[in-house]
Amino acid sequence: MSNEPLRVGVLGSGRIVRRVMKDFHRGQGYVLSAVASRSLERAQTAAREYGAPLAFGSYEELAACKEVDLVYIAVPHPFHCPIALQMMNAGKHVICEKPMALNEGQAQAMVDCAREKGVFLMEAMWTRFFPATKKMVSLVKGGAIGQINHVYAVFSGAAAYDPASRAFDPALGGGALLDIGVYPLMAATQLLGWDIESAQGACQYAPSGVDMRLAAQLKFPGGATAQIMGGMDACAPSHLLVYGSEGYILMEDFWHPTAFTLCGADGRREEYRFRPENEGFHYEFEEAARCVREGLRESPLMPHEESIAVSRVCDSLRRQAGIVYPGE
Ligand SMILES: NC(=O)c1ccc[n+]([C@@H]2O[C@H](COP(=O)([O-])OP(=O)(O)OC[C@H]3O[C@@H](n4cnc5c(N)ncnc54)[C@H](OP(=O)(O)O)[C@@H]3O)[C@@H](O)[C@H]2O)c1
């Protein structure tokens, strides 16, 4: 087990990278080694801004770089799989932005490659790694609100329709489900497991044909149910509610939580508060660094099989809505 910090290469120079880099320095166990962009100029600007010693004008150069152990892939969804395969085939560990892949076939191919190459692969479902999420999950799994019978989770906001935006472009994997619907979906699978019995969706379309809003009901073995919604045209608080046989948990802004409330059926009310640390993107890098240090090839908090199963459910919901991406 090496105590050297994990050397991270960032791939892409878009919106999420800018946000993540504001938090990157808050974590421990890893360092920023390189930034790669399709444009050398953008890579150099980003490297200067974020303090990376190396800048590459192509993703291939990052794959070949001996001073990078792990690549953080932050490009639009359709490129996650091909780029992750390229990086893993070059021996790099990978954190890949959510959704891990455009569809189940791609997610499976990524996991197969990680296993074959013996490298670490993790979907960047950053919500998982917050102290507040970990505490909430441990309370739920420890029986603090009895048996979990239902999960309700919504992630929705109001985004003006813009055909030029990645979020609405079918060629870039646009649509509410893959962009933000995966958060409520994965909040449900984190608590109820990913062996989903059935998923039925209802969808409203954006003018470009992708889902503007997608709501779904899920049924799990044993009888638990979930209702989830991801929306780009419906302004609402993004809440998670966990309904147990002996109480419930309410977590506001559950996709980057700093607090939640546990209410018992007996009337007790417990407030849990955590120190906010800007947006909290560093937790996922700390988790990856810990896993790699301990020789793990997947994070127990974000298992490969769950990423594949969630892709499968998204495929099914998209099939029901008739949403097919170019090339699928
Ligand atoms: N965790 C979160 O909270 C969160 C939030 C937002 C987005 N995301 C995820 O992060 C990923 C990127 O989202 P984003 O909003 O950062 O996207 P974005 O700004 O549109 O693009 C990200 C970068 O991808 C690179 N890229 C490579 N091939 C591209 C292509 N053919 N077209 C456009 N860009 C291409 C570009 O960097 P270069 O040209 O410099 O190489 C671009 O700057 C998505 O999968 C999204 O789901 C996660």
Side-chain angles (χ1 to χ4, degrees):
M1 198 191 312
S2 163
N3 279 329
E4 290 298 309
L6 191 72
R7 298 167 302 175
V8 176
V10 169
L11 193 150
S13 64
R15 272 164 301 207
I16 189 58
V17 170
R18 263 193 299 282
R19 286 172 57 196
V20 165
M21 284 297 126
K22 287 193 180 132
D23 286 339
F24 194 84
H25 65 280
R26 293 169 195 274
Q28 292 187 347
Y30 59 86
V31 290
L32 182 62
S33 197
V35 178
S37 160
R38 293 171 300 170
S39 132
L40 181 58
E41 198 188 335
R42 277 202 297 279
Q44 285 171 335
T45 306
R48 256 194 316 276
E49 193 179 333
Y50 308 139
L54 298 167
F56 299 116
S58 75
Y59 301 158
E60 290 74 20
E61 288 169 87
L62 183 62
C65 178
K66 298 270 180 285
E67 285 153 70
V68 168
D69 307 307
L70 176 141
V71 173
Y72 165 54
I73 297 176
V75 296
H77 329 329
F79 314 115
H80 290 179
C81 176
I83 291 174
L85 296 182
Q86 181 187 18
M87 296 299 139
M88 291 189 287
N89 278 319
K92 304 298 184 209
H93 304 298
V94 164
I95 301 180
C96 183
E97 261 307 339
K98 42 55 56 182
M100 191 160 89
L102 203 57
N103 54 44
E104 183 190 1
Q106 290 188 353
Q108 185 69 58
M110 290 164 76
V111 168
D112 290 347
C113 183
R115 287 177 183 157
E116 191 194 318
K117 295 291 166 187
V119 294
F120 175 80
L121 168 68
M122 183 178 89
E123 181 171 1
M125 179 39 75
W126 57 309
T127 304
R128 293 277 160 111
F129 314 110
F130 278 70
T133 307
K134 289 182 182 171
K135 181 67 184 174
M136 182 273 289
V137 171
S138 82
L139 284 168
V140 167
K141 298 215 161 152
I145 53 169
Q147 179 177 304
I148 303 311
N149 289 327
H150 186 71
V151 169
Y152 168 88
V154 164
F155 189 171
S156 186
Y161 175 66
D162 173 6
S165 151
R166 171 184 66 72
F168 294 105
D169 185 350
L172 295 180
L177 176 63
L178 294 196
D179 210 41
I180 53 180
V182 290
Y183 286 92
L185 182 50
M186 294 181 99
T189 55
Q190 182 173 31
L191 294 167
L192 296 171
W194 53 88
D195 182 16
I196 296 170
E197 218 170 79
S198 68
Q200 286 166 331
C203 165
Q204 171 61 7
Y205 302 90
S208 61
V210 302
D211 47 316
M212 178 66 110
R213 194 175 348 106
L214 198 144
Q217 337 207 38
L218 312 174
K219 179 96 188 275
F220 294 78
T225 48
Q227 285 176 299
I228 61 139
M229 192 271 263
M232 300 197 280
D233 67 346
C235 207
S238 293
H239 284 173
L240 167 68
L241 265 164
V242 189
Y243 298 70
S245 57
E246 294 163 28
Y248 70 89
I249 284 175
L250 167 64
M251 186 178 244
E252 296 179 6
D253 290 329
F254 75 93
W255 50 284
H256 62 158
T258 53
F260 63 90
T261 306
L262 185 156
C263 298
D266 56 5
R268 94 201 124 102
R269 194 181 166 91
E270 296 165 12
E271 306 282 348
Y272 294 83
R273 303 255 169 263
F274 297 79
R275 188 162 56 95
E277 288 196 74
N278 196 37
E279 285 207 83
F281 281 107
H282 53 297
Y283 300 124
E284 63 189 0
F285 291 95
E286 286 190 326
E287 172 66 1
R290 180 189 72 81
C291 289
V292 171
R293 209 167 45 240
E294 293 178 7
L296 302 178
R297 293 302 174 242
E298 68 184 304
S299 163
L301 299 177
M302 186 59 265
H304 289 164
E305 288 307 324
E306 187 176 357
S307 292
I308 295 170
V310 166
S311 284
R312 188 180 313 132
V313 175
C314 290
D315 287 356
S316 160
L317 293 171
R318 281 201 295 123
R319 237 187 338 267
Q320 292 169 39
I323 294 166
V324 181
Y325 293 119
E328 277 191 315

